């Protein structure tokens, strides 16, 4: 059983995916972490994330037990911007495909299903997923959510910079030639601009139930 959850930055797809995974006893893979790890690896090697050769090399070196995948450094805006540059390189996407598909078909810990969140899960990575959601919100709402998150974590940030960075990342992610950010034709599009996380969770559970017949445990 695979649940695919896609959407732009700070739309709430990671929060939703973890809750869905917990509720159904599924394993969760935040695929953005893989692209962030590749971007950070390139930066650390002194390279340019937009350089195809450097990005592809870093992607082929990544494996599920690589320690970089656990680093908090992946959560920075610098890592996010580098991720969206390496993500436009076709060889990088190809190198990360097996990793993601293997997680979907063989969820760790013998879990009965997997939730993958990203940009192209429903369109490219798992086109046969039993349930697909595309979680979105206006760019202003998403920037506000990210700003509050940064403030909560004690990271100084300027509202206008967060908004501009998000617009730049949205543009790169949706305009790239390979696997651009867009809803799968059979995805349930959930605009969360005016919904809190509990409302989003309830709507997602109802959609997954309608597609699979599954109900969350307890
Ligand atoms: N429905 C919601 N209403 C308000 N805030 C939300 C909602 N969903 C998530 N959030 C908050 O918004 C922020 C971004 O959420 P989250 O990290 O889940 O987004 P994301 O789409 O996974 O982002 P990214 O792609 O950058 O990893 C978090 O601080 C989260 O707590
Ligand atoms: N399936 C995916 C997942 C992510 N990306 C790229 O990585 C960047 C960071 O992702 P977050 O989910 O952690 O924000 C994102 O901006 C994309 O460029 C991707 O291409 N495909």
């Amino acid at each position: 059983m695979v649940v695919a959850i896609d959407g732009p930055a700070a739309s709430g797809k990671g929060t939703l995916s973890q809750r869905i995974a917990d509720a159904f006893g599924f394993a969760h893979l935040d695929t953005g972490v893989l692209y962030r790890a590749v971007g950070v690896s390139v930066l650390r090697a002194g390279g340019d994330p937009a350089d195809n050769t450097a990005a592809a090399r870093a992607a082929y070196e990544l494996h599920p037990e690589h320690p970089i995948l656990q680093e908090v450094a992946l959560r920075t805006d610098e890592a996010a911007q580098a991720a969206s540059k390496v993500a436009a390189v076709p060889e990088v996407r190809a190198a990360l495909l097996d990793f993601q598909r293997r997680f979907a078909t063989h969820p760790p810990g013998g879990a009965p299903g997997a939730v993958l969140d990203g940009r192209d899960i429903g369109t490219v990575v798992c086109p046969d997923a039993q349930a697909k959601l595309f979680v979105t919100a206006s760019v202003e709402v998403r920037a506000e959510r990210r700003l509050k998150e940064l403030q909560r974590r004690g990271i100084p940030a300027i509202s206008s910079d967060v908004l501009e960075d998000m617009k730049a990342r949205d543009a790169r992610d949706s305009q790239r030639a390979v696997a651009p950010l867009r809803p799968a034709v059979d995805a349930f599009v959930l605009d969360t601009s005016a919904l809190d996380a509990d409302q989003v969770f309830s709507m997602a559970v109802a959609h997954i139930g309608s597609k699979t017949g599954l109900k969350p445990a307890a």
Side-chain angles (χ1 to χ4, degrees):
M1 173 72 57
V2 177
V3 178
I5 304 187
D6 290 303
S11 55
K13 62 189 178 301
T15 304
L16 174 64
S17 299
Q18 191 56 60
R19 280 187 75 171
I20 293 290
D22 292 345
F24 289 95
F26 291 173
H28 171 218
L29 178 63
D30 169 0
T31 64
V33 165
L34 309 181
Y35 292 90
R36 286 171 184 260
V38 173
V40 168
S41 297
V42 174
L43 290 176
R44 283 185 185 163
D48 173 1
D51 173 55
N52 289 22
T53 310
R57 188 182 312 119
Y60 281 109
E61 280 168 4
L62 194 67
H63 57 83
E65 280 76 42
H66 201 300
I68 195 171
L69 293 170
Q70 309 304 329
E71 288 191 26
V72 286
L74 299 188
R75 297 316 314 165
T76 63
D77 191 52
E78 190 189 18
Q81 296 296 338
S84 83
K85 290 178 185 157
V86 299
V89 176
E91 293 87 343
V92 169
R93 306 203 73 84
L96 298 181
L97 207 49
D98 274 357
F99 187 132
Q100 299 170 81
R101 286 192 175 149
R102 185 154 180 83
F103 188 98
T105 53
H106 299 84
V115 184
L116 282 79
D117 78 85
R119 302 293 186 289
D120 62 340
I121 308 303
T123 51
V124 175
V125 179
C126 301
D128 299 326
Q130 282 79 0
K132 298 181 185 179
L133 293 111
F134 189 87
V135 181
T136 189
S138 73
V139 70
E140 289 78 15
V141 167
R142 290 186 284 118
E144 190 56 34
R145 287 177 184 169
R146 184 52 33 90
L147 185 67
K148 281 194 187 141
E149 180 185 329
L150 293 169
Q151 286 167 345
R152 269 200 309 273
R153 289 162 57 200
I155 299 169
I158 299 165
S159 172
S160 55
D161 289 353
V162 173
L163 180 62
E164 286 318 305
D165 286 353
M166 199 153 287
K167 284 181 178 170
R169 196 141 71 97
D170 281 357
R172 263 200 303 274
D173 288 351
S174 51
Q175 289 165 19
R176 67 183 174 225
V178 224
L181 167 69
R182 61 177 169 77
V185 285
D186 51 348
F188 174 50
V189 178
L190 196 43
D191 187 331
T192 73
S193 302
L195 300 174
D196 67 26
D198 288 342
Q199 292 170 312
V200 175
F201 176 68
S202 299
M203 291 173 77
V205 165
H207 176 71
I208 293 166
S210 75
K211 288 287 181 182
T212 65
L214 289 180
K215 287 190 171 63

